[in-house]
Amino acid sequence: MCGIVGYTGRRDAAPVLLGGLKRLEYRGYDSFGIATVGSAIEVYKKAGRIPDGDPGAVGLVGCTGIGHTRWATHGEPNEINAHPHMDCEGKIAVVHNGVIENYAELKRHLQERGHTFRSETDTEVIAHLIEEKYDGDLLAAVNAVLPLLQGSYAILVIAGDTQRIVAARDASPLVLGIGDDEVFAASDMTPLLEYTERVIFLEDGDVADLMPGRYTIYHGGLEVERPIELINWCFEDTRKGGFPHYMLKEIYEQPQSFYETIRAGIDEHVRRMVMEADEITLVACGTSYHTALVFKYLAESLCGIPVRVEMGSEFKYFTPPLRGLVIAVSQSGETADTIAALKMAKARNCPTLAITNMQGSTVTRIADETLLMRAGPEIGVAATKSYMAQLAALMEILNIRCDGEFDDALSHAHLAIGDVLLLDIQDAVDLCSKVEHVFFVGRGPFYPVAMEGALKMKEISYVHAEGYAAGELKHGPFALLTPETPVVAICTPGPTYGVMASNIKEIKARRAPVIAVGVAGDIELPEIVDIFIPIPNTHLLVQVLTASVVLQLLAYHTACALNRDVDKPRNLAKSVTVE
Ligand code: F6R
């Protein structure tokens, strides 16, 4: 994980770097640091989050610099381990996102040659290796070092005697932003939005030499052209816009993220790919895994397409037999486990499709085709509007396979999503914020919705939560039911309504309080549960969406009631680029 940013141009680099790092904090936020080229390299590092207007950091002089916000892998999150890392003499500074797998061996070798290490990180070896090769030509020194590194990296390197940044990537993302007299580099495009809409997505193996207003990209030692692309996001989308948290803002943006993704439609290539698939395998992690499971339930029951859903983290080591279309679902497009699975599917000659929110991300480079979600930048660590946009993209695929049967439901769904934002769920929040455990249950597509509700609850409120298929609760978890263990049950009209109602009665008989999410107008359910939350009585597909929003709001308000750091929950990062 970790986020890196670089700037060379006419402005003071420090504020640009700090502002950029703030936008990248979702990638890791346990420590940060920047380095600029003044009369020599100046460095400022700190454990913890990036404060606003930190005078120590803003005071660094120079118009060229690099910065880093960290999610610790090697060494605990403290000031010493924070990037940038330097060589022995303080003449070279490096920021790095990724993992150098052979760093221990390289470090031993460098120590034998007299280098002094200050940190426990893998990254520091890069600075010392460059020191060995540097004779005034930074590009040549970096080029000489890269073949020695095993693992993954996006790096930015500066030297104290030159106004340039050398950037390189292999298996970690890196984007250049092209301004008039200035060049930016960053882990993703969010830090660039304020300054330019022109970006270049570097390829694995690329090395870029950046100077104020000039850049040259090399691959395999040869100069190459990479296309300049225009970003389809705007800077305003990255602001909180008056909301107390990004997460709440992003929950409220869901009618739009669903609508825009549906409106964008699906291009001919993807359409053909989807129509030709006689079997579909989806690979994903976390929340994206849950959207994939929702798709499985809907696609198998509504269109009869066999669908398999695999967790990215398991897939690489226990690869199932593969047939048909393989779809990687990833908001960031940079999740290491999902990328590894996608690469394996490619190696087995399966047609591959990436569903992602990130233009130019790694999955888009690997997959044969891409279906871009239109969620816009999602800053809160917990996925919300990207979940909604993933469901939009997957439901659109379903719709294509069912000859447009769901056109009407999908084109009006955003209205129902907007309606549930206004629901009063305070009683449910009061209940959940007083307990240590909450169960979430549902059947069919509402089972993964329940799993997602539980994931949201645990990740941002730290209340322990489990999502279960409603029928499974009696096969063990019933032992945990007490008056202090609320169960959130999603129970909407359809073939499982009766059996869900029976499950709820069984839960009530164990004296566990039940919060039911059902449809408006249901007269039976409110009688048997403790708290009833009515969603609009709409199409099944739309109920999946609205029930999900209710559970997001429940997690959000519970977390707020418990005073949690909603946008940056402990120990997490949004983009998980390590296995
Ligand atoms: C939870 C969450 C994570 C991500 C998971 C996969 O709120 O955001 O579980 O869904 O890390 O991330 P992507 O979709 O970027 O591959």
Side-chain angles (χ1 to χ4, degrees):
M1 301 54 114
C2 306
I4 63 175
V5 60
Y7 174 77
T8 180
R10 55 196 151 75
R11 308 170 200 250
D12 281 337
V16 176
L17 298 172
L18 289 167
L21 290 181
K22 272 222 157 277
R23 310 244 165 267
L24 290 177
E25 256 191 321
Y26 72 84
R27 300 177 69 89
Y29 35 83
D30 58 42
S31 53
F32 73 97
I34 62 171
T36 57
V37 186
S39 52
I41 291 184
E42 299 184 17
V43 183
Y44 184 85
K45 310 205 256 186
K46 243 185 169 169
R49 310 264 167 94
I50 304 162
D52 286 323
D54 184 329
V58 178
L60 259 57
V61 296
C63 297
T64 296
I66 55 177
H68 185 274
T69 181
R70 183 166 185 249
W71 186 86
T73 55
H74 294 69
E76 64 177 74
N78 57 28
E79 196 171 311
I80 294 174
N81 289 330
H83 299 215
H85 290 289
M86 313 275 288
D87 64 328
C88 298
E89 304 276 314
K91 290 183 176 157
I92 305 285
V94 179
V95 291
H96 166 221
N97 170 32
V99 174
I100 303 302
E101 284 159 11
N102 59 335
Y103 87 99
E105 185 190 327
L106 293 170
K107 186 171 178 174
R108 216 171 20 253
H109 175 70
L110 285 159
Q111 281 170 327
E112 280 164 14
R113 291 174 57 82
H115 289 262
T116 307
F117 280 76
R118 299 177 191 91
S119 76
E120 301 159 86
T121 64
D122 52 337
T123 304
E124 196 180 338
V125 296
I126 305 174
H128 291 277
L129 287 169
I130 294 173
E131 178 182 20
E132 292 245 319
K133 309 282 181 191
Y134 187 58
D135 61 3
D137 184 344
L138 191 59
L139 179 65
V142 173
N143 271 326
V145 165
L146 294 179
L148 307 175
L149 306 179
Q150 287 165 17
S152 58
Y153 56 79
I155 55 169
L156 299 174
V157 187
I158 53 173
D161 55 1
T162 173
Q163 297 292 328
R164 78 202 306 192
I165 301 172
V166 177
R169 76 159 271 181
D170 196 8
S172 290
L174 196 52
V175 188
L176 303 184
I178 311 303
D180 285 341
D181 300 312
E182 51 193 358
V183 186
F184 305 79
S187 299
D188 75 29
M189 49 202 186
T190 47
L192 315 177
L193 298 175
E194 195 173 348
Y195 305 102
T196 180
E197 53 176 12
R198 299 161 70 224
V199 300
I200 294 175
F201 297 101
L202 294 180
E203 304 276 348
D204 279 347
D206 281 358
V207 179
D209 190 10
L210 315 179
M211 278 175 259
R214 265 198 308 141
Y215 64 91
T216 317
I217 303 170
Y218 301 89
H219 191 96
L222 299 175
E223 193 175 326
V224 288
E225 290 283 328
R226 297 274 176 242
I228 294 184
E229 298 185 33
L230 294 183
I231 309 179
N232 58 16
W233 290 355
C234 73
F235 177 56
E236 279 311 308
D237 294 342
T238 65
R239 293 187 188 268
K240 252 190 228 161
F243 283 86
H245 297 104
Y246 280 109
M247 182 176 175
L248 188 62
K249 173 178 177 253
E250 287 158 6
I251 289 174
Y252 272 71
E253 285 172 345
Q254 292 185 109
Q256 192 188 349
S257 79
F258 189 88
Y259 177 77
E260 292 295 340
T261 306
I262 294 290
R263 199 168 69 108
I266 291 186
D267 77 27
E268 251 334 291
H269 293 114
V270 177
R271 194 174 280 266
R272 200 170 319 121
M273 199 177 222
V274 166
M275 288 309 286
E276 283 169 4
D278 50 9
E279 215 174 282
I280 299 178
T281 301
L282 295 102
V283 288
C285 300
T287 291
S288 303
Y289 175 73
H290 296 152
T291 61
L293 284 175
V294 169
F295 176 77
K296 174 183 166 70
Y297 274 105
L298 295 175
E300 291 191 332
S301 62
L302 300 176
C303 334
I305 323 165
V307 177
R308 179 202 281 269
V309 179
E310 301 289 338
M311 273 178 197
S313 54
E314 291 289 293
F315 189 95
K316 180 169 169 192
Y317 300 99
F318 305 95
T319 313
L322 283 176
R323 272 173 23 87
L325 175 62
V326 175
I327 304 181
V329 187
S330 174
Q331 183 281 131
S332 63
E334 300 296 347
T335 299
D337 291 324
T338 306
I339 290 170
L342 182 59
K343 282 184 177 159
M344 295 189 73
K346 277 283 278 193
R348 293 186 184 201
N349 295 320
C350 294
T352 51
L353 171 67
I355 297 182
T356 182
N357 198 31
M358 281 288 185
Q359 189 185 350
S361 59
T362 302
V363 293
T364 68
R365 281 145 206 287
I366 301 171
D368 301 321
E369 299 292 341
T370 295
L371 177 46
L372 206 56
M373 297 143 53
R374 306 295 164 137
E378 188 178 65
I379 314 281
V381 162
T384 52
K385 64 173 178 170
S386 64
Y387 166 88
M388 194 54 73
Q390 279 172 0
L391 286 178
L394 290 166
M395 286 181 180
E396 190 61 28
I397 288 177
L398 194 73
N399 196 32
I400 289 174
R401 284 300 295 246
C402 295
D403 295 328
E405 190 184 331
F406 310 120
D407 276 345
D408 194 44
L410 296 184
S411 58
H412 293 101
H414 61 287
L415 302 173
I417 299 168
D419 287 345
V420 288
L421 295 172
L422 306 172
L423 285 173
D424 178 1
I425 57 166
Q426 193 55 46
D427 290 348
V429 171
D430 290 345
L431 184 56
C432 292
S433 53
K434 288 190 189 72
V435 298
E436 286 180 15
H437 312 279
V438 182
F439 281 99
F440 289 77
V441 297
R443 283 177 180 257
F446 295 104
Y447 165 38
V449 169
M451 292 165 80
E452 174 60 10
L455 177 63
K456 287 283 99 81
M457 181 63 87
K458 66 185 132 195
E459 85 177 308
I460 60 162
S461 76
Y462 315 153
V463 173
H464 173 229
E466 296 293 339
Y468 263 89
E472 280 294 300
L473 217 56
K474 56 187 174 296
H475 297 290
F478 258 33
L480 294 173
L481 295 186
T482 68
E484 283 75 47
T485 319
V487 178
V488 180
I490 310 162
C491 178
T492 62
T496 60
Y497 181 85
V499 71
M500 271 301 297
S502 303
N503 293 150
I504 288 172
K505 286 176 192 155
E506 292 153 12
I507 294 164
K508 287 293 300 169
R510 272 82 191 167
R511 301 195 303 127
V514 173
I515 300 166
V517 179
V519 299
D522 187 327
I523 46 174
E524 188 186 333
L525 214 48
E527 294 296 314
I528 57 171
V529 300
D530 300 84
I531 297 169
F532 180 73
I533 302 176
I535 58 174
N537 192 356
T538 48
H539 193 281
L540 169 69
L541 264 51
V542 183
Q543 286 171 14
V544 164
L545 308 171
T546 50
S548 301
V549 175
V550 169
L551 302 192
Q552 292 169 349
L553 287 167
L554 181 59
Y556 171 78
H557 289 296
T558 302
C560 290
L562 294 169
N563 249 328
R564 306 300 191 218
D565 191 348
V566 174
D567 283 335
K568 298 194 183 82
R570 68 186 177 208
N571 303 335
L572 298 181
K574 191 164 183 67
S575 182
V576 186
T577 56
V578 292
E579 264 190 45

